[in-house]
Amino acid sequence: MTVNAIRLRGVGKSYGPTRALADVSLDIEAGTVHAVLGENGAGKSTLIKILTGVLAPDTGTVDLFGERLDHDGPQSAETLGLATVFQELSLVPHLSVEDNLFLSNPPRSKFGWIDLRRQRAESRHWLDLVGLGDIHPGTHVGQLSLTQKQLLEIAKGLAKKPRILLLDEATASLPGNDVDRLFNIIADARREGLTVIYISHRMTEIERIADRCSVLRNGQLIETFDAHARSHDEICRMLAGREISQVFPPRRPVPADAPIVLDVSGLSAVDKVRNISFALRQGEVLGIGGLEGQGQKELLQTLYGAIRTAAGSVTLDGKPFKPAGPAAAIAGQRPVMLLPEDRKTDGLLLAESIRDNMLLSVTGKLSRYGLRDQVAETACSRAITRKLAIKISSPDAPVSSLSGGNQQKVLLARLLLNEPAVYILMDPTRGIDVGTKQEIYALIRELADRGAAVLFLTTDFEELIGMCDRVLVLYGGAIRRELEGDAINEVNIMEASLNMTRPETARNPADTEIRP
Amino acid sequence: MKILTSRHMPVLLGAAVFIIVLAAYLAVHPRGISSFVIQSYANSAAPLALAALAQTFPVLTGGLDLSVGGMVALTNALASELVQGSPVEIAFGVLTVLAAGALCGALNGALIVYGRLQPIIGTLATGAVFSGLALFIRPFPGGDVDTGLAYAMTAILFGVLPVSTLLIAIIASCTWAAISRASLGRGIFAAGSAPQAARLSGLRIERSIIAAYVLSGLLSALAGLYLGFQTLSGDATIGVPYTINSIAAIVIGGLSLRGGAGSPLSAIFGAHALRAISAVLLFTGAPPLAQPLFEGMVLITAVAAASLTLVRDPNRLKAFQ
């Protein structure tokens, strides 16, 4: 009997009440390419961290070539022959290319010093292999382009001469010809017995390279099957996999003559937002979808004034809108306000009182002669607490004492008190129980019906389908597709998110990055 | 050679500052250029250059060592007790002083790595402890340092090359060769540049951080020892200004306080530039008691100049990070 390269038995991991991974058992045969697919939050990254030894599972075991993996850091998996090419690059920008290639295990001379000559020679070999032959090994990594860094990251994995290579979204920033080269390398290495775990969102790549596929959803292993055994649509359904179960409030069609509140044209910022144009009407809930990290966050932060605009223009009620910062966006006659993605780090002052957190953006309006008006503040916070049905013992208690759902309501209260013209909501239901979710959905719909315009970022397809009048799907910093009405469905969103190339559609500009 | 210029730009700027200030110093020096002037200038800059070299390593890891002054004081006090007598006793004394410095540094490193203290807080506290110990050993200035050794270390060779300069060049190249050729040293850069990436790559950066603070202690001890050679005695309060001046020196020399990159030349250029600035101020009639005022202003100017890039960052949320 052959020993499997990887053998998972009953692996589970929870973060507090959220189950990231539940009872996953999986065998991966040596010398095969095994693809792992899953939506955001399906448990892929937890699985990777467990496989690489960075994270210890709560239950279950991991064996690599029949040897038990102890989870005390990346070294433990490396000694068993597993090398990882990380999605978030594990390169040190201030060190040279060659230093990075051999960061943890440089070639050594007799006395244990780093053998610089051998390091240079071996670097050249690996750089040539991944197509970076024209890069000098002494170049600082900080000066490489994103594509070059990604290739270097791959070279770094290969240089460890692993028996198992884990590629985590390794092609995310590679143009087509480099992907071809990578696939040739993988094919060669596989013939020599290398086992590859391939994690990617790009369905076409998985079809080209994988022998077997596993689909994860909500932390569970849904199915493992031979590649080509399932069609695109089947896989999409397996990935998303649920019926619309949550109760969303009814939608009224946005009248065609509703005034345009926010008009964005040709907006670009940092290198994540590329030439984005759209119009947001009064009473509309406009969904911003796509996989994580496709520029959604940067787009919304730019509209809010947190990121400086590089090109393009925005108008609010027809007048140019170019806030010098969040404070300016909030202070206007028609405020634009943003609910941040991570309420604990970007939203709440955790140690401060519930009342102060609610009133943080309006204190100026509730003060007299520069002093805070206690009576007005109390009345104001009491009214909004009642309106949003926030469960609190006392407005003076620290906001950290509340549950996640109630914390989120406190943040929403902060926005509401300013009566914004535009609500920018970033993942407003993240980590919240179903009951509170429904309340928040109803509230968002009510705000829109009463004349506000809402930008609603979410990575949850169901929310895009159930809540939004229109959906923009972003990929690589640009709008990949605009969906409206019945076209807002799982297959369409999934396809646009994954940038699946249909014969009639052109390639996305993000894929044809110009290399220096 | 575009790569070279961009990476070495800060150090080159530091060198330029050094040359300009040195030229000004020699121009205004009342006695003009002479072997003696070079000797005394080099010797007066030597302890600061050593302290700045000490500061370089913690800063490269992304930290800061506020106990440099305390370690200089403590080792200086120890030297005034131990570096005397027979050649064997002197050798033993020198080694003990260096070991004491390394031990202080190891304590700093352990507090930061295992005690999870922020470097600034941890070394602020230990710096006070070291200063206290120095006062305990030497409550009043005094003691004795072997004259023969002291003369040798403060001499000038062939009338042009001060021993102190030679010494600093050797020490700097040795430590630098060691940290660029050893995995441990590579980890010092990695810790300051991208600690998360370094950990993911399987590098044990904790050891590197401790090594950086041990090096800082060792080099601070050399600074304390050298002060002893200069004054032939010990003084527990002599070390105090070395903390802020070591930071000022590396910043003037072009080392980024953000860590991750840099060169020991920054420390050497910066320390010599700072000493020359002080001397120029003195010669031009600035009151000696106002020295800290000018040193503080130099530090603020240098740090502000180094932070100019932040103003250009398009992400306004990063303005105060």
Side-chain angles (χ1 to χ4, degrees):
Chain A
M1 199 192 99
T2 54
V3 179
N4 280 322
I6 295 177
R7 186 185 159 92
L8 299 177
R9 281 294 169 268
V11 171
K13 177 79 194 171
S14 301
Y15 299 102
T18 18
R19 273 199 120 171
L21 216 53
D23 195 29
V24 170
S25 296
L26 176 66
D27 289 298
I28 297 178
E29 217 175 292
T32 61
V33 177
H34 196 108
V36 177
L37 296 105
E39 264 187 77
N40 295 322
K44 279 179 314 197
S45 36
T46 308
L47 182 68
I48 293 161
K49 283 185 191 149
I50 288 174
L51 275 176
T52 51
V54 179
L55 194 71
D58 299 335
T59 60
T61 57
V62 179
D63 292 296
L64 303 182
F65 292 104
E67 284 184 69
R68 186 60 42 92
L69 175 69
D70 22 292
H71 302 267
D72 53 0
Q75 300 95 337
S76 51
E78 246 181 74
T79 49
L80 294 181
L82 182 138
T84 312
V85 176
F86 286 100
Q87 174 186 12
E88 74 272 37
L89 305 166
S90 72
L91 300 173
V92 179
H94 286 112
L95 288 178
S96 67
V97 166
E98 52 188 351
D99 286 352
N100 267 286
L101 264 177
F102 298 100
L103 194 57
S104 63
N105 202 9
R108 287 172 201 274
S109 62
K110 260 178 274 171
F111 306 106
W113 295 113
I114 297 169
D115 188 336
L116 294 179
R117 196 171 302 164
R118 246 175 67 211
Q119 175 173 286
R120 172 71 44 104
E122 290 183 25
S123 301
R124 286 233 158 88
H125 166 73
W126 295 111
L127 291 177
D128 269 339
L129 185 71
V130 296
L132 287 176
D134 50 347
I135 300 280
H136 189 269
T139 316
H140 269 201
V141 164
Q143 287 162 335
L144 301 184
S145 74
L146 192 56
T147 306
Q148 290 169 327
K149 281 185 197 163
Q150 186 89 68
L151 288 170
L152 177 60
E153 184 83 28
I154 292 165
K156 186 177 158 189
L158 291 168
K160 289 175 181 160
K161 297 180 187 153
R163 292 196 286 173
I164 304 169
L165 186 66
L166 198 161
L167 294 159
D168 178 13
E169 304 280 351
T171 57
S173 47
L174 289 189
N177 49 340
D178 283 315
V179 173
D180 293 343
R181 180 196 289 274
L182 173 65
F183 283 4
N184 288 335
I185 298 170
I186 292 178
D188 286 346
R190 198 187 68 155
R191 247 170 267 129
E192 287 161 24
L194 180 73
T195 311
V196 178
I197 304 170
Y198 193 82
I199 287 144
S200 173
H201 284 304
R202 297 186 182 177
M203 203 76 77
T204 44
E205 290 180 3
I206 288 171
E207 283 185 341
R208 275 174 63 190
I209 195 171
D211 300 309
R212 304 258 299 158
C213 299
S214 290
V215 172
L216 282 175
R217 192 177 70 223
N218 292 335
Q220 278 165 329
L221 184 62
I222 300 302
E223 198 181 331
T224 297
F225 50 91
D226 279 327
H228 310 292
R230 294 280 186 276
S231 73
H232 265 191
D233 279 4
E234 278 178 301
I235 295 175
C236 274
R237 223 160 287 138
M238 224 186 281
L239 285 166
R242 335 138 266 220
E243 301 304 312
I244 300 296
S245 56
Q246 269 138 2
V247 183
F248 292 101
R251 266 175 290 205
R252 283 189 310 208
V254 181
D257 60 345
I260 291 174
V261 181
L262 203 65
D263 195 358
V264 179
S265 88
L267 191 70
S268 297
V270 272
D271 50 358
K272 294 278 187 65
V273 180
R274 296 174 188 193
N275 194 17
I276 285 192
S277 305
F278 65 87
L280 175 65
R281 290 178 183 279
Q282 188 177 323
E284 188 178 29
V285 178
L286 177 59
I288 307 286
L291 300 170
E292 252 169 70
Q294 302 300 317
Q296 301 97 318
K297 194 174 161 184
E298 288 78 7
L299 166 66
L300 298 182
Q301 287 184 334
T302 307
L303 292 174
Y304 189 48
I307 295 177
R308 210 179 294 152
T309 313
S313 63
V314 182
T315 63
L316 180 68
D317 296 331
K319 284 174 232 128
F321 178 66
K322 207 175 177 186
I330 296 171
Q333 271 294 311
R334 299 260 288 157
V336 173
M337 287 198 74
L338 176 139
L339 181 89
E341 195 174 25
D342 188 335
R343 62 174 166 269
K344 290 209 162 121
T345 60
D346 299 343
L348 296 167
L349 313 177
L350 281 173
E352 305 301 319
S353 71
I354 294 165
R355 188 208 329 249
D356 284 358
N357 268 287
M358 284 176 174
L359 300 174
L360 197 62
S361 300
V362 289
T363 35
K365 293 176 193 166
L366 290 179
S367 62
R368 285 200 301 187
Y369 316 117
L371 294 174
R372 294 173 60 173
D373 183 341
Q374 298 274 343
V375 179
E377 284 194 352
T378 307
C380 182
S381 64
R382 208 171 270 161
I384 196 81
T385 306
R386 209 172 305 125
K387 171 164 173 43
L388 296 184
I390 310 178
K391 295 182 197 80
I392 61 174
S393 53
S394 149
D396 295 314
V399 76
S400 58
S401 64
L402 298 181
S403 71
N406 281 309
Q407 286 185 359
Q408 193 72 324
K409 283 185 177 176
V410 169
L411 268 183
L412 279 165
R414 186 191 291 171
L415 269 66
L416 259 78
L417 285 174
N418 247 353
E419 294 169 11
V422 179
Y423 285 85
I424 303 175
L425 307 177
M426 296 171 80
D427 226 346
T429 61
R430 171 185 284 197
I432 285 176
D433 63 285
V434 182
T436 312
K437 268 187 186 179
Q438 286 184 11
E439 288 176 51
I440 290 179
Y441 295 145
L443 174 70
I444 293 171
R445 188 42 70 184
E446 187 197 324
L447 292 170
D449 287 348
R450 281 173 34 199
V454 181
L455 280 170
F456 184 38
L457 174 134
T458 172
T459 47
D460 186 341
F461 291 0
E462 225 168 289
E463 290 186 345
L464 290 176
I465 298 165
M467 273 303 296
C468 299
D469 300 306
R470 205 150 50 98
V471 171
L472 304 175
V473 181
L474 266 64
Y475 184 87
I479 296 177
R480 178 72 179 75
R481 203 159 168 197
E482 182 183 329
L483 301 166
E484 204 166 352
D486 291 339
I488 310 178
N489 61 47
E490 291 198 348
V491 173
N492 279 343
I493 298 173
M494 184 66 88
E495 275 181 3
S497 302
L498 301 177
N499 194 32
M500 274 193 204
T501 37
R502 299 202 146 188
E504 72 271 25
T505 49
R507 286 189 67 126
N508 187 285
D511 274 0
T512 49
E513 186 184 338
I514 301 152
R515 295 179 60 196
Chain B
M1 285 279 96
K2 212 178 97 197
I3 297 165
L4 266 179
T5 49
S6 68
R7 177 147 49 103
H8 296 296
M9 202 54 202
V11 175
L12 291 176
L13 277 176
V17 169
F18 162 67
I19 289 167
I20 293 166
V21 180
L22 183 66
Y25 168 78
L26 293 174
V28 301
H29 199 287
R31 297 171 63 170
I33 306 175
S34 74
S35 179
F36 177 74
V37 167
I38 296 173
Q39 183 184 4
S40 67
Y41 167 67
N43 288 347
S44 74
L48 181 56
L50 289 167
L53 275 173
Q55 190 66 261
T56 300
F57 298 98
V59 165
L60 283 177
T61 66
L64 202 62
D65 191 343
L66 296 185
S67 72
V68 164
M71 294 191 290
V72 169
L74 175 59
T75 50
N76 179 252
L78 270 179
S80 70
E81 290 288 339
L82 299 173
V83 183
Q84 47 191 270
S86 71
V88 177
E89 284 172 323
I90 292 170
F92 171 78
V94 168
L95 288 177
T96 311
V97 168
L98 296 182
L103 200 66
C104 292
L107 176 68
N108 283 333
L111 278 176
I112 289 159
V113 168
Y114 301 113
R116 301 273 193 275
L117 281 179
Q118 289 171 347
I120 290 183
I121 301 302
T123 55
L124 183 66
T126 56
V129 170
F130 301 149
S131 294
L133 281 175
L135 277 166
F136 187 71
I137 293 170
R138 180 145 300 293
F140 307 103
D144 203 5
V145 174
D146 184 75
T147 340
L149 182 62
Y151 280 149
M153 299 311 267
T154 52
I156 185 162
L157 299 174
F158 319 113
V160 285
L161 180 62
V163 173
S164 55
T165 306
L166 186 66
L167 204 67
I168 287 165
I170 293 172
I171 290 167
S173 2
C174 285
T175 46
W176 202 252
I179 81 157
S180 44
R181 288 294 298 275
S183 254
L184 207 60
R186 191 171 278 182
I188 290 179
F189 292 98
S193 178
Q196 200 65 28
R199 279 206 191 89
L200 277 177
S201 308
L203 211 62
R204 296 180 201 276
I205 55 169
E206 290 78 9
R207 295 179 191 176
S208 298
I209 292 173
I210 293 178
Y213 284 91
V214 170
L215 268 174
S216 175
L218 199 60
L219 288 157
S220 297
L222 279 166
L225 199 58
Y226 199 87
L227 274 174
F229 295 147
Q230 272 182 300
T231 59
L232 297 176
S233 64
D235 180 349
T237 60
I238 203 167
V240 177
Y242 281 88
T243 300
I244 183 171
N245 282 344
S246 65
I247 298 169
I250 55 172
V251 173
I252 292 169
L255 194 82
S256 163
L257 290 179
R258 293 169 173 271
S263 148
L265 290 174
S266 287
I268 294 172
F269 288 141
H272 284 83
L274 200 58
R275 269 292 168 263
I277 292 172
S278 307
V280 167
L281 287 171
L282 205 64
F283 295 150
T284 51
L289 286 175
Q291 282 285 327
L293 172 71
F294 294 112
E295 283 162 358
M297 275 162 53
V298 167
L299 180 58
I300 290 172
T301 315
V303 175
S307 308
L308 277 180
T309 50
L310 267 189
V311 180
R312 288 202 297 265
D313 196 304
N315 192 337
R316 295 186 171 111
L317 302 180
K318 284 187 187 158
F320 294 102
Q321 275 177 6

